[in-house]
């Protein structure tokens, strides 16, 4: 039997994040780790897209003229910065509550972002294509990794850039992200992550290759105790990592 277009959506995961939707824009709330990580993610995305296109990442609107898709956008923590960098942004999430929060915040911020309550598969089936696709902190929550990566590849135009981030499946990631962050420090709610769904870098890279994409960069992301944020650590992939891939043009 053929899978439905939304086959990668895990309804239990969606329900869990819907229950926290009101906290998306609270920097000290349940999404505090993403707020702390966000400057690093934004800079990485900007720099990798600009490097591929030969653009100046420090220009006032370095992503001007590009169509960018943010998959699993939540409340819009990445979508809004991409719009401020000049991109035309479409942002998708399967949670209606999160999309409602994102739309309201964008309107209050004076930003025109095309927010949709949908899935990557439904959007891919529509035939729309983008210059860049972002899928950060989402692949560890989907039901079918291969189908999800295939949808991401389909959404990219030839020559387009994909940026993904997730958690490695290691003993250290269990200790840091689940035991530490969820149970001891309680900086994120219990049950946010399932360790068995974390992906080792070579597993994610293999799934992307099966979808026809080429991985060009991978780096770890680690907390920076000096400034309270996060920094890139190319050789420290044991917990959080981010990568760039491309659809051959």
């Amino acid at each position: 039997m053929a899978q439905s277009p939304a086959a990668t959506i895990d309804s239990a995961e969606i329900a869990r994040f819907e229950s926290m939707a009101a906290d998306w824009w609270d920097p000290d709330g349940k999404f505090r780790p993403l707020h702390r990580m966000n400057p690093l993610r934004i800079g990485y995305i900007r720099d990798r897209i600009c490097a591929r296109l030969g653009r100046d990442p420090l220009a006032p609107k370095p992503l001007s003229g590009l169509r960018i898709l943010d998959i699993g956008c939540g409340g819009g923590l990445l979508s809004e910065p991409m719009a401020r960098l000049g991109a035309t942004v479409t942002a998708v999430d399967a949670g209606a509550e999160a999309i409602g929060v994102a739309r309201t915040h964008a309107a209050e911020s004076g930003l025109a972002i095309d927010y949709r309550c949908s899935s990557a598969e439904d959007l891919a089936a529509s035939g729309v294509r983008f210059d860049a696709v972002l899928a950060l902190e989402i692949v560890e929550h989907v039901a079918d990794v291969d189908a999800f990566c295939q949808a991401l590849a389909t959404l990219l135009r030839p020559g387009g850039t994909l940026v993904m981030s997730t958690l490695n499946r290691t003993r250290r990631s269990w200790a840091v992200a689940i035991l530490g962050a969820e149970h001891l420090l309680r900086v994120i709610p219990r049950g946010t992550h399932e360790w068995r769904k974390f992906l080792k870098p070579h597993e994610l890279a293999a799934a992307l290759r099966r979808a026809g994409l080429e991985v060009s960069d991978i780096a770890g992301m680690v907390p920076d105790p000096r400034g309270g944020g996060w920094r890139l650590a190319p050789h420290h992939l044991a917990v959080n990592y981010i990568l760039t891939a491309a659809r051959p043009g």
Side-chain angles (χ1 to χ4, degrees):
M1 181 181 295
Q3 290 184 318
S4 66
T8 70
I9 291 177
D10 185 323
S11 58
E13 295 276 15
I14 298 304
R16 185 177 298 118
F17 281 94
E18 285 287 79
S19 69
M20 302 186 287
D23 285 345
W24 269 108
W25 285 96
D26 180 357
D28 296 313
K30 295 175 181 177
F31 295 101
R32 177 184 175 184
L34 289 184
H35 282 271
R36 295 293 180 89
M37 190 185 291
N38 221 30
L40 170 61
R41 302 193 306 172
I42 295 164
Y44 180 93
I45 293 165
R46 178 201 63 200
D47 292 351
R48 295 311 181 275
I49 293 174
C50 287
R52 184 166 179 82
L53 297 176
R55 295 189 177 199
D56 178 4
L58 300 182
K61 298 283 186 179
L63 304 183
S64 180
L66 300 181
R67 300 184 67 199
I68 291 183
L69 172 65
D70 183 8
I71 292 288
C73 64
L77 299 189
L78 277 176
S79 305
E80 291 198 8
M82 294 300 108
R84 290 191 177 95
L85 289 172
T88 298
V89 179
T90 299
V92 171
D93 199 282
E97 292 290 337
I99 289 296
V101 168
R103 286 172 175 162
T104 298
H105 196 274
E108 292 172 349
S109 302
L111 296 170
I113 298 171
D114 181 9
Y115 283 113
R116 306 184 190 186
C117 186
S118 185
S119 68
E121 294 74 29
D122 285 337
L123 197 60
S126 73
V128 65
R129 301 292 179 264
F130 296 87
D131 299 294
V133 173
L134 315 178
L136 281 75
E137 281 72 55
I138 181 175
V139 69
E140 69 271 23
H141 299 291
V142 305
D144 186 327
V145 171
D146 275 322
F148 182 68
C149 289
Q150 184 58 64
L152 298 180
T154 301
L155 286 160
L156 276 176
R157 65 163 180 80
T161 302
L162 170 68
V163 178
M164 299 183 75
S165 62
T166 189
L167 287 146
N168 199 345
R169 193 176 66 257
T170 61
R171 291 180 180 179
R172 185 173 179 183
S173 71
W174 179 85
V176 171
I178 296 179
L179 177 62
E182 294 188 17
H183 291 268
L184 298 179
L185 299 177
R186 298 183 181 181
V187 296
I188 56 176
R190 289 188 181 187
T192 298
H193 296 112
E194 291 184 52
W195 182 81
R196 65 179 180 83
K197 295 177 74 173
F198 292 0
L199 291 166
K200 293 181 178 293
H202 76 267
E203 294 171 340
L204 181 53
L208 293 172
R209 285 195 297 270
R210 288 192 291 271
L213 301 179
E214 299 173 349
V215 177
S216 59
D217 180 76
I218 184 167
M221 298 187 293
V222 299
D224 184 356
R226 294 170 298 179
W230 288 64
R231 62 180 177 84
L232 286 178
H235 303 295
H236 295 274
L237 308 178
V239 184
N240 296 83
Y241 64 94
I242 190 166
L243 64 78
T244 302
R247 181 176 175 180

